[in-house]
Amino acid sequence: MSVFAPATPFADFIYRHFRSVHALKLGLALLVAVTINAIWAPPHFIWSMVTIVVIMMSLPQVGGAIEKSLQRAIGTCLGSAYGVMLVATVDSYWLIMSLLILAVSLICFISAGRYSYAYLVSGFTIIIVVGDANHDTSEALWRTANILSGCVIAILVSLFIFPIKAKQDWRSQLTHAIDNMAEVLAQHLKAPANHDLDFRAKLEAAMKAVLTQKKLFFSLEWESKTLKKHKVLLSQLANKQVRLITLLELLPLTRWQEEDKDAYLQINAVASELAFYLQQLAEFVAGKAQQLPTLPECLEQELQHRLQLALASATIASTIVTSTTASTTDLDAATTDGEVPQGFALTGYSWLIYQLAIAVEALYEDIAIIEIAYNKQPASQITSGKAD
């Protein structure tokens, strides 16, 4: 099923109440650990509960819990193996502590990137296992076993008890970002000439949604083989949203005079189509539309041609006025007074709308690739989402 397919009522309920569901799942995982402890009472079982809380507290999504559990398990095994080796083979207190400090320092030096948590876990596991260097290896092994059991419990509860999927959160954040951008563009086009509308709140919300998408990338890889194959595309999609937000930030800075109103209205008529396409895309990503909407073929060229036509009359009029009535001194004086020649403003504004069209088209293209990949269509059918 496509990541953009309408969510089931059950999945939608879980996502809308994910905080309550997450708290319930954490409580159930701890209950499982407490029950195991009541039946078998293994030594140092508190480490199992600590592991469950560390893994599940900050990562409600299934993919995040799996990755963090595996990193913790790997780090625990490596750190425990090194710590047990020191306790079992070295008798000198100072030699054990020197080798411990050397190992932790080395881990600190190489710790970076995606697997930094595994390095962190291996470092403090060495310290936990070695302790004061006066205990036997059985205590270290029990601690390791308890940490691994906590990882297993966290994974099983995350997978099978009311699973919270990162895919749905990612799709919701993508919808939120596109919807905010479409609303900003639509409100700007409906506003009067020298409006003072403030779009910062909506654009900041869109940017926050993009950053949230980036945080979910690792979780998405564990939940979806399709998205894992297109992880580079996910990053590109986020960057294209940032580019579109940046272009939209320039819109409130545009100003024009009354005599240029007709030309601007023609340009805005073109831009209003972009707002419509963005809104359609947001509805599809949200699961409200069954099929990805299509863009007109050669959208860029068509918009460029129409923008040039819209500018033609304004450019000719500006040239006649400048050549017959405006001297160099007059232009300098106008610039000094803060007035900008309107021909340049119109040209810059049309360029901005044209770049918005390119950015919207790029969003369509990436989302179309993801949708086609989920439908398992041949690679030759992966297009930019335009109508044939």
Side-chain angles (χ1 to χ4, degrees):
M1 185 174 66
S2 172
V3 69
F4 302 121
T8 63
F10 180 69
D12 185 63
F13 173 83
I14 290 178
Y15 183 73
R16 285 189 291 108
H17 302 89
F18 82 94
R19 292 184 181 275
S20 300
V21 172
H22 183 216
L24 175 63
K25 291 175 64 174
L26 178 59
L28 289 175
L30 291 174
L31 179 60
V32 172
V34 169
T35 302
I36 293 175
N37 186 41
I39 297 174
W40 288 289
H44 307 290
F45 198 74
I46 191 66
W47 283 104
S48 178
M49 300 179 68
V50 170
T51 299
I52 291 172
V53 172
V54 169
I55 291 175
M56 297 186 64
M57 181 71 79
S58 60
L59 292 171
Q61 295 87 4
V62 172
I66 293 175
E67 172 156 2
K68 195 166 186 179
S69 296
L70 291 177
Q71 288 202 38
R72 188 173 180 88
I74 293 172
T76 297
C77 290
L78 294 177
S80 178
Y82 184 79
V84 169
M85 183 271 294
L86 290 182
V87 173
T89 59
V90 181
D91 294 330
S92 170
Y93 172 82
W94 287 108
L95 181 57
I96 288 179
M97 291 303 172
S98 297
L99 293 174
L100 181 150
I101 294 173
L102 178 62
V104 174
S105 299
L106 179 61
I107 290 172
C108 178
F109 177 75
I110 64 177
S111 175
R114 176 172 181 173
Y115 303 103
S116 58
Y117 182 68
Y119 290 114
L120 171 66
V121 171
S122 63
F124 69 69
T125 299
I126 294 173
I127 298 174
I128 291 171
V129 169
V130 173
D132 57 4
N134 292 323
H135 54 266
D136 56 25
T137 58
S138 62
E139 183 177 350
L141 293 175
W142 273 115
R143 289 181 177 179
T144 302
N146 288 324
I147 291 175
L148 294 178
S149 67
C151 292
V152 172
I153 293 172
I155 290 177
L156 293 178
V157 171
S158 296
L159 276 174
F160 299 110
I161 306 297
F162 304 125
I164 302 173
K165 298 297 184 67
K167 290 190 296 183
Q168 191 166 359
D169 194 13
W170 173 78
R171 184 177 77 168
S172 177
Q173 297 299 332
L174 178 59
T175 302
H176 186 58
I178 297 175
D179 194 52
N180 272 282
M181 290 186 285
E183 190 171 347
V184 166
L185 181 56
Q187 288 183 2
H188 170 77
L189 298 176
K190 295 178 182 178
N194 293 309
H195 67 81
D196 56 353
L197 296 178
D198 190 354
F199 300 123
R200 285 178 297 179
K202 289 188 178 298
L203 292 176
E204 287 175 0
M207 183 63 74
K208 183 178 180 181
V210 175
L211 295 177
T212 303
Q213 293 172 44
K214 291 183 177 182
K215 294 178 181 178
L216 295 170
F217 286 170
F218 292 153
S219 297
L220 291 172
E221 291 182 28
W222 287 100
E223 291 184 11
S224 172
K225 293 181 180 179
T226 302
L227 292 180
K228 185 176 183 179
K229 293 178 182 178
H230 294 82
K231 58 183 179 181
V232 175
L233 184 64
L234 293 178
S235 179
Q236 293 175 351
L237 181 59
N239 292 335
K240 290 174 182 178
Q241 293 173 70
V242 173
R243 179 173 181 267
L244 186 52
I245 292 172
T246 302
L247 291 171
L248 289 172
E249 287 177 337
L250 299 176
L251 281 179
L253 303 179
T254 57
R255 294 290 184 268
W256 61 87
Q257 301 299 326
E258 187 64 28
E259 56 268 23
D260 299 307
K261 181 178 179 180
D262 292 339
Y264 272 96
L265 289 178
Q266 293 181 51
I267 296 175
N268 285 348
V270 176
S272 63
E273 297 182 20
L274 299 179
F276 173 73
Y277 295 142
L278 273 176
Q279 191 60 51
Q280 279 193 321
L281 185 61
E283 291 179 359
F284 169 75
V285 173
K288 297 178 181 179
Q290 295 183 352
Q291 293 184 343
L292 177 67
T294 56
L295 294 176
E297 189 176 6
C298 301
L299 174 66
E300 297 173 22
Q301 291 84 346
E302 180 184 346
L303 290 181
Q304 186 178 30
H305 176 67
R306 291 171 60 187
L307 289 170
Q308 287 173 346
L309 291 177
L311 285 170
S313 58
T315 303
I316 294 173
S318 176
T319 303
I320 294 174
V321 171
T322 301
S323 62
T324 58
T325 63
S327 64
T328 304
T329 305
D330 294 334
L331 289 175
D332 291 340
T335 303
T336 304
D337 294 337
E339 298 178 1
V340 180
Q342 294 303 307
F344 173 80
L346 283 168
T347 305
Y349 188 66
S350 66
W351 174 88
L352 179 59
I353 299 302
Y354 178 65
Q355 293 300 319
L356 283 171
I358 295 176
V360 170
E361 198 171 40
L363 284 183
Y364 265 82
E365 181 178 358
D366 287 352
I367 291 176
I369 292 175
I370 295 174
E371 173 67 6
I372 292 174
Y374 264 98
N375 293 332
K376 298 181 179 179
Q377 298 181 21
S380 59
Q381 296 185 21
I382 297 180
T383 64
S384 60
K386 301 177 187 177
D388 297 330

